[in-house]
């Protein structure tokens, strides 16, 4: 039984670690790639294949992180009552929202006046945990049905928009429509509307029942393989028809390769049905194929997966510090513009700043390697101090 549990934990941590590493690539590109401030890497009229995939591959991060957080909640719940698990999820959800608003937002801007608030990954994770705290009291089949309905049906809301800077517009944006807002002098970006993200974490919670100690490994692998294949097949069929599932239709481009890019360019904000099918389908296949995978790579990558929040918080600050140093040394720009002015993404005079994409990749690899000793030490500390309650919140 110990071997089964070990394999189960390793496969989940391996996937989580992999998406954490991939996530850092996007943030390095955001801050240090020369073209980041001038055009969208998914813009098919301006991008290249490698730049497109540098951004596109990171689409897998947020939904998989949500899914695995739900699976972890189920496994934690095996040692708690439903009420205890609910209380834990609410507390952790509120803590994550606080982290997003204060610690993470400061990390993005390095400005104590907080000129901009991002409502993105960690805040959506926190809200989803609070929603999950209520849903776990329902039968799992009902949770599954409700969440599938939300994920499958939410694109019916795509044509609903609330214009302006009103509270109602902000509320609708929080639910389903990415927008910028201004409040006094602050800029608010609702980057991750919570529908359908709040449904993905409960789906992960339901998935957790396949990871109990008495669940047959071969059956789990087979189920994950079938679920992954079904998700990818459904994505291909729905995407090909252009009938439903994504607000942006694919179209024929200048050549076959760019037509393929158009086909896989799915909407992330909010995650469309096709986006969810593609990313979670990939997650299910990954979990199936890596169930019994072992070796040095699995061992190393899993370290990042066991301390995801610790890694997430540190990497933002390190990348921002590197951008400050790079702006001073490579382009002679005033470093204070990165901490004392309006958010850097709204600056249009950064000509001469930034690195080529290959250099950005090297920086990303160096960052991930440099953070490994810290993550490993913190992981060892967590394993040696499991009785300390606060460790479950970081």
């Amino acid at each position: 039984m110990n071997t089964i549990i070990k394999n189960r934990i390793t496969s989940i941590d391996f996937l989580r670690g992999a998406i954490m590493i991939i996530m850092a690539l996007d943030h390095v590109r955001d801050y240090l790639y020369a073209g980041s401030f001038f055009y969208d890497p998914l813009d098919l009229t301006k991008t290249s294949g490698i730049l497109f995939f540098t951004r596109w591959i990171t689409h897998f991060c947020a939904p998989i992180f949500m899914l695995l957080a739900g699976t972890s909640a189920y496994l934690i719940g095996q040692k708690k009552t439903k009420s205890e698990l609910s209380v834990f999820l609410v507390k952790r959800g509120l803590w994550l929202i606080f982290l997003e608003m204060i610690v993470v937002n400061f990390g993005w801007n390095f400005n104590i006046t907080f000129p901009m608030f991002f409502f993105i990954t960690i805040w959506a994770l926190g809200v989803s945990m609070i929603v999950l705290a209520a849903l776990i009291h329902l039968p799992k089949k009902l949770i599954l049905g409700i969440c599938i309905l939300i994920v499958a049906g939410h694109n019916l809301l795509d044509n609903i928009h609330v214009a302006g800077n009103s509270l109602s517009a902000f509320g609708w944006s929080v639910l389903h429509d990415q927008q910028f807002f201004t409040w006094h002098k602050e800029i608010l970006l609702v980057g991750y509307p919570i529908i359908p993200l709040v449904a993905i974490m409960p789906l992960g919670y339901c998935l957790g029942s396949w990871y109990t100690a008495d669940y047959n490994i071969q059956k789990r692998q087979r189920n994950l393989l079938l679920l992954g294949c079904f998700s990818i097949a459904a994505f291909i069929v729905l995407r090909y028809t252009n009938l439903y599932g994504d607000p942006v239709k694919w179209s024929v481009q200048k050549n076959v390769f760019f037509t393929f890019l158009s086909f896989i360019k799915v909407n992330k904000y909010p995650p469309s049905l096709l986006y969810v099918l593609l990313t979670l389908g990939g997650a299910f296949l990954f979990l199936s194929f890596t169930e019994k995978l072992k070796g040095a790579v699995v061992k190393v990558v899993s370290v990042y997966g066991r301390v995801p929040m610790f890694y997430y918080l540190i990497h933002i600050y390190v990348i921002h510090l590197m951008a400050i140093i790079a702006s001073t040394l490579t382009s002679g720009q005033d470093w204070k513009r990165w901490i004392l002015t309006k958010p850097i993404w709204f600056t249009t005079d950064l000509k001469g700043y930034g690195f080529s994409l290959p250099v950005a990749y090297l920086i990303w690899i160096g960052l991930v390697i440099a953070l490994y000793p810290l993550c490993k030490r913190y992981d060892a500390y967590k394993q040696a101090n499991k009785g300390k309650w606060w460790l479950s919140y970081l």
Side-chain angles (χ1 to χ4, degrees):
M1 183 177 293
N2 290 335
T3 302
I4 294 174
I5 294 173
K6 182 178 179 181
N7 287 340
R8 178 182 310 120
I9 295 174
T10 299
S11 63
I12 292 175
D13 286 339
F14 183 39
L15 175 55
R16 187 186 288 115
I19 65 169
M20 298 306 291
I21 291 171
I22 291 171
M23 174 197 64
L25 172 61
D26 197 36
H27 297 156
V28 168
R29 180 197 57 78
D30 270 336
Y31 274 101
L32 294 161
Y33 169 59
S36 291
F37 305 95
F38 303 106
Y39 61 90
D40 181 358
L42 298 180
D43 184 343
L44 297 181
T45 65
K46 298 178 181 179
T47 193
S48 64
I50 184 62
L51 179 58
F52 179 95
F53 281 107
T54 299
R55 170 58 173 159
W56 179 86
I57 191 64
T58 63
H59 278 12
F60 287 79
C61 298
I64 293 177
F65 198 55
M66 291 281 180
L67 181 82
L68 297 184
T71 302
S72 296
Y74 185 91
L75 297 177
I76 291 171
Q78 300 303 293
K79 301 176 182 179
K80 298 177 182 288
T81 66
K82 286 288 180 67
S83 296
E84 289 172 339
L85 181 58
S86 280
V87 171
F88 171 75
L89 289 171
V90 169
K91 287 181 178 178
R92 194 158 196 268
L94 292 173
W95 169 243
L96 291 175
I97 293 172
F98 169 80
L99 284 180
E100 180 80 285
M101 294 299 103
I102 306 301
V103 180
V104 177
N105 272 292
F106 182 76
W108 290 127
N109 295 295
F110 277 9
N111 192 328
I112 197 64
T113 65
F114 288 93
M116 185 170 188
F117 285 96
F118 295 105
F119 294 74
I120 47 178
T121 310
I122 305 304
W123 108 279
L125 189 70
V127 172
S128 297
M129 282 191 177
I130 294 171
V131 172
L132 180 60
L135 289 178
I136 63 171
H137 296 280
L138 300 175
K140 282 200 292 293
K141 288 184 179 180
L142 183 56
I143 297 173
L144 190 63
I146 291 172
C147 293
I148 290 176
L149 184 62
I150 292 172
V151 171
H154 80 95
N155 284 115
L156 295 172
L157 306 173
D158 288 344
N159 293 324
I160 301 176
H161 305 283
V162 181
N165 206 44
S166 64
L167 184 61
S168 59
F170 178 76
W172 180 243
S173 181
V174 165
L175 291 176
H176 198 260
D177 197 9
Q178 183 192 48
Q179 288 191 56
F180 283 94
F181 296 89
T182 56
W183 182 68
H184 296 289
K185 293 182 179 180
E186 285 74 30
I187 299 171
L188 308 180
L189 167 62
V190 181
Y192 278 76
I194 61 175
I195 299 175
L197 290 174
V198 291
I200 293 177
M201 189 179 292
L203 289 177
Y205 179 84
C206 294
L207 179 67
S209 63
W210 290 359
Y211 282 88
T212 54
D214 57 349
Y215 201 92
N216 181 270
I217 292 179
Q218 285 72 32
K219 183 179 179 181
R220 176 168 62 246
Q221 282 187 283
R222 184 175 65 253
N223 288 349
L224 287 167
L225 178 61
L226 291 173
L227 186 56
C229 289
F230 172 81
S231 298
I232 299 299
F235 162 77
I236 293 172
V237 171
L238 285 173
R239 188 59 167 164
Y240 181 78
T241 62
N242 259 342
L243 293 177
Y244 177 78
D246 199 279
V248 181
K249 310 303 182 184
W250 71 276
S251 60
V252 176
Q253 302 294 311
K254 59 185 179 182
N255 56 42
V256 173
F257 177 67
F258 272 80
T259 298
F260 172 70
L261 298 188
S262 176
F263 191 86
I264 63 173
K265 181 186 173 184
V266 285
N267 199 67
K268 183 177 181 180
Y269 308 107
S272 67
L273 167 61
L274 296 183
Y275 175 100
V276 174
L277 287 172
L278 178 62
T279 55
L280 295 193
F284 299 139
L285 293 176
F286 187 99
L287 288 171
S288 177
F289 295 146
T290 62
E291 176 76 45
K292 299 178 181 179
L293 195 63
K294 296 180 181 179
V297 172
V298 174
K299 186 176 180 180
V300 170
V301 172
S302 296
V303 170
Y304 300 100
R306 289 193 292 269
V307 292
M309 189 55 61
F310 177 80
Y311 169 89
Y312 183 88
L313 295 175
I314 289 178
H315 98 285
I316 291 173
Y317 281 75
V318 172
I319 292 172
H320 199 161
L321 283 170
M322 287 194 294
I324 292 175
I325 295 171
S327 67
T328 303
L329 297 182
T330 64
S331 60
Q333 299 194 27
D334 188 353
W335 62 271
K336 288 181 288 191
R337 72 185 307 163
W338 290 87
I339 65 173
L340 298 175
T341 59
K342 63 185 178 181
I344 199 69
W345 291 279
F346 293 86
T347 301
T348 57
D349 58 343
L350 279 173
K351 214 165 190 181
Y353 168 75
F355 302 97
S356 66
L357 197 58
V359 172
Y361 265 82
L362 290 175
I363 294 172
W364 164 59
I365 294 169
L367 170 73
V368 172
I369 293 173
L371 292 182
Y372 179 75
L374 288 174
C375 292
K376 187 175 182 180
R377 178 168 292 189
Y378 182 64
D379 179 41
Y381 180 80
K382 285 185 69 176
Q383 296 302 316
N385 296 274
K386 292 182 178 180
K388 295 185 177 180
W389 64 270
W390 61 270
L391 288 172
S392 61
Y393 290 86
L394 185 58

